[in-house]
Each structure stands twice: as C-alpha cells, then as structure tokens.
Amino acid sequence: PAGRRLCGRPHRGGGHPLPARRTGRGHGSAPPPTPHPRRLGLRSVVVAPNGHLLLVGTTASGKSALGLEAARRRPGVELVSMDSMALYRGMDIGTATPSAAERAEVPHHLLDLADPSEDYSVADFQRAARTALVDIGERDARAVLVGGTGLHVRAVVDDLDIPGRFAQVRAGLDAEPDTPALHRRLAELDPAAAGRMEPTNRRRVVRALEVTLGSGRPFSSYGPGLEQYPDTPFAQVGLRVPRDVLDARIAERFARMMDEGLLDEVAGLLERPEGLSATAAQALGYRELAVHLRGGCALDAAVEEAVAATRRFARRQERWFRRDPRIAWVDVGDDPLAALDDVLAAFDACAP
C-alpha cells in the first residue's frame, strides 16, 4: 500500500539493500504491522555484531527521545551520547542535554565530560567512548549510541586512527596564504593524500600538511579516510525527516529553549573568568546569543540567525549521513516515536 514502500541503497561490499521504512502520520490510516526483527536487513552489513545500536539523525529529528524510549523498553540498555557539544558541563539547555530525571531513569554516558573552557578533541572523545563501551559490556549491558556529530560517530563506529594536533606547525602553515602552493608541497611529501583533495580546499590541505610535518608520518598512512565505509560491528539506523517538518521542529525547539532560559545560560558562560574554548564558543545558539549579549545585534536577530544556522547545520548532517551506505533509514513524519518498533527490531536483530 501507499506509504509502505521499502527503498534503500546496496552496501558497497555487496549483500542486501538497506531498506528505509516510512512511519508517522500522513502515510495511510492503518497502523503499521510490527516489523520482523530482520526487516531492516542489518544482519547483512554488521560483521560480528557487538550488540550495540547506533541511532543517527539530524538535530531536532527526535532521535534522543526515541533512543530513551527504546532504552525503557529493553532491560539492560544504556545510552551513549554522540554529541560534540553535550559533553561540555553547563551547556545543557542549548544542547538539549537529557534531564536529571531521564539520566536517573536510564544510564547516560559521554555527557558533562569537560569544562567549556577546554578544547575537547575528537581523539579525547574517542577514548572516553571506548572506556564507556567497555564498562557497559562488563555489566553485560548493551548500548544505544545516539547522535548527530558525524566525525565523532565515525571515530567510534570505525575506530578511526586519529592524528594528533601540532600547534606550532599549524601556525606556520596558517601564515602561508597560497593554498595551491601548500598543496604542491603536500604532493611532494604525500602524493596519496594530495591526490584525494582539491588544491584549493585549504582546510584539508593545511590539516594534511600539519599532520605529515608534525608527526613525521604521511597523512595518508592514517587509514583510507572518511570516504571509505568498512564493515563494522555496530548496527546503524537513521531517522529521515521531511525538510519542512524538520525546519518547523528546529524553530519550535529553539523557542522552547529560549523559554527555558537559554539566554541566561549563555550569559552565565560568558561571565566565567575562564571563558569558552574555541570549540565550545561555536555551539549553535550559544554563538549567536553571545553576539547579542556583547552588543552585536538585537535579540530577535540573534534568534533568527540561530534558527537559520541550525537549519544549515541539519542540511550538512543529512549530507554526511546520507553518504554512509551502512545506515538503514527509517522515514518518519511529525512523530519520531512512530519509528519505535523499527528501532527495537533493529536492536533485537543485532544481539551478539
């Protein structure tokens, strides 16, 4: 029947296609049947499943509420945040950090890891995630990883070999304005890495040179890069929300955050003598409201820009996750919890 069509893309390594199922209102009046545990086809792309499920989606897609509800329905489930900003203490409202009551009900991990004045790297996050997953396994529990920060997700799911940072090398490279010249230098030192990027992509060229010069090891030796999607022991499900629905949810959520005191939260952070790290200062909503509080714009303009920036970020998240052929997609309408049966089926199917 209409609204129940299964679709998907084949896994690059072969096997069965990954179907996406439509749920929510507007797709027929009959309630959906309970899916078979293998309906999402996750067995075809999970190698030696570790029992953990990754639930991804854009900001405001409802993935956190869905993950919490899934944990309530299955005993021994713990939630692991895959958010690069919720890890900062005191940045609760703008990151939609789970409430104290929710965290008391279901164990949560990778929240409140660092002070907002600290630069908490992807490598730091990866180490904390490894520790959390080991601890969860030692309790004979299972995890639902919930998030939308693409690089942090890949670092954990694919156990990326992450290069370090070399500040002095980076400073010297930043002083060179000629990006194509830097690319030519990279081509001499690491032809494989240079061949993977455009000569004008300054961010990638500078980072590759920073690592090659700072570590004494070719940037390309750190693995095939984010363009490859190897087999993984994590089952992965993504929520796909129509653009108009998502845009409305983003605006409604930010208005709710303002009502809950986001402006005061940002003001309190700005008053701290330690200040904010470069990473924390870029958090959506916080960045725009900080401009207002420093006299840079009216409050209405700051709110409007925060909503627009969040929508742009959601588009980038969509593109990032859509490239991953290992994710089984569930199309949801205005009620993400309508996808609960699919998520539970995927979770049950990936039991080790």
Side-chain angles (χ1 to χ4, degrees):
R4 305 299 295 162
R5 181 173 62 86
L6 303 184
C7 59
R9 291 181 294 168
H11 176 44
R12 289 184 184 177
H16 303 295
L18 301 178
R21 219 154 65 79
R22 301 179 188 274
T23 62
R25 287 178 283 184
H27 298 292
S29 57
T34 300
H36 187 278
R38 294 179 183 267
R39 178 70 62 82
L40 290 174
L42 289 168
R43 291 285 189 183
S44 64
V45 296
V46 179
V47 176
N50 57 17
H52 304 318
L53 175 69
L54 171 67
L55 180 62
V56 301
T58 66
T59 185
S61 63
K63 59 188 179 296
S64 297
L66 187 55
L68 179 62
E69 191 60 33
R72 288 168 172 157
R73 302 294 183 92
R74 293 293 183 268
V77 172
E78 304 186 20
L79 297 176
V80 181
S81 170
M82 293 283 106
D83 190 294
S84 64
M85 295 299 173
L87 61 86
Y88 285 113
R89 291 186 290 273
M91 296 177 64
D92 298 331
I93 298 173
T95 63
T97 297
S99 67
E102 291 169 338
R103 294 166 71 172
E105 181 183 7
V106 174
H108 286 69
H109 302 270
L110 306 192
L111 300 173
D112 299 337
L113 295 177
D115 188 88
S117 63
E118 300 175 43
D119 273 317
Y120 200 83
S121 70
V122 178
D124 293 330
F125 183 89
Q126 184 188 54
R127 285 190 291 270
R130 286 171 178 163
T131 300
L133 291 172
V134 168
D135 290 346
I136 290 169
E138 289 179 347
R139 289 190 288 275
D140 292 325
R142 294 171 64 189
V144 174
L145 295 80
V146 182
T149 306
L151 183 57
H152 291 63
V153 167
R154 291 292 304 274
V156 175
V157 169
D158 294 321
D159 197 24
L160 298 179
D161 186 5
I162 302 174
R165 297 282 180 180
F166 306 93
Q168 289 186 331
V169 173
R170 180 62 181 253
L173 296 171
D174 285 340
E176 170 55 71
D178 190 342
T179 303
L182 292 175
H183 185 267
R184 289 191 294 271
R185 186 179 179 188
L186 177 64
E188 295 174 357
L189 298 171
D190 187 355
R196 291 177 185 165
M197 59 192 71
E198 294 294 327
T200 55
N201 190 325
R202 184 172 183 84
R203 180 183 62 82
R204 295 189 66 190
V205 170
V206 169
R207 175 59 176 155
L209 263 179
E210 174 195 348
V211 171
T212 300
L213 295 171
S215 68
R217 173 181 164 187
F219 184 70
S220 59
S221 70
Y222 285 87
L226 295 172
E227 292 79 14
Q228 301 298 316
Y229 299 92
D231 293 330
T232 175
F234 291 86
Q236 302 182 64
V237 174
L239 300 184
R240 193 159 48 197
V241 183
R243 285 277 179 88
D244 58 337
V245 174
L246 185 62
D247 284 351
R249 287 174 64 95
I250 288 171
E252 291 164 3
R253 190 177 75 157
F254 197 80
R256 189 163 58 249
M257 289 176 174
M258 292 296 292
D259 290 341
E260 292 171 355
L262 178 57
L263 187 63
D264 289 338
E265 184 173 84
V266 176
L269 291 168
L270 294 179
E271 291 169 359
R272 289 161 36 97
E274 306 92 334
L276 294 176
S277 68
T279 301
Q282 293 304 306
L284 289 168
Y286 294 86
R287 178 182 59 200
E288 293 79 14
L289 292 179
V291 172
H292 160 69
L293 289 168
R294 289 170 175 145
C297 67
L299 179 58
D300 287 349
V303 170
E304 182 178 348
E305 175 55 28
V307 170
T310 304
R311 287 170 174 165
R312 292 193 296 270
F313 175 63
R315 304 293 191 266
R316 295 195 297 272
Q317 288 177 300
E318 286 178 344
R319 291 192 294 270
W320 176 285
F321 290 120
R322 195 167 55 229
R323 290 193 292 265
D324 193 330
R326 303 167 301 180
I327 298 174
W329 290 97
V330 181
D331 288 324
V332 298
D334 53 3
D335 180 15
L337 291 181
L340 179 62
D341 285 343
D342 284 319
V343 171
L344 291 176
F347 180 80
D348 294 341
C350 73

